[in-house]
Amino acid sequence: MAYIINDECISCGACESECPVSCISAGDAAYVIDADTCIECGNCANVCPVGAPQAE
């Protein structure tokens, strides 16, 4: 299952640079993950200071 970013996101951007397939981008209120591109590597979850990225 692809990762999603929950409401805990503080828009720090740490996850975006860690994504090997560049599927994370800044949204209106928080970062978002393109589920069709996500390879479920977990890099985003590993670097997030608030645990916002979670497996869907």
Side-chain angles (χ1 to χ4, degrees):
M1 288 198 272
Y3 277 73
I4 61 167
I5 297 179
N6 67 29
D7 294 340
E8 299 297 315
C9 179
I10 58 173
S11 297
C12 69
C15 59
E16 185 177 22
S17 63
E18 290 298 315
C19 182
V21 293
S22 301
C23 72
I24 303 173
S25 60
D28 291 336
Y31 277 76
V32 293
I33 296 176
D34 177 4
D36 292 333
T37 308
C38 179
I39 60 171
E40 304 165 29
C41 67
N43 287 358
C44 56
N46 291 336
V47 299
C48 181
V50 296
Q54 297 178 341
E56 191 171 38

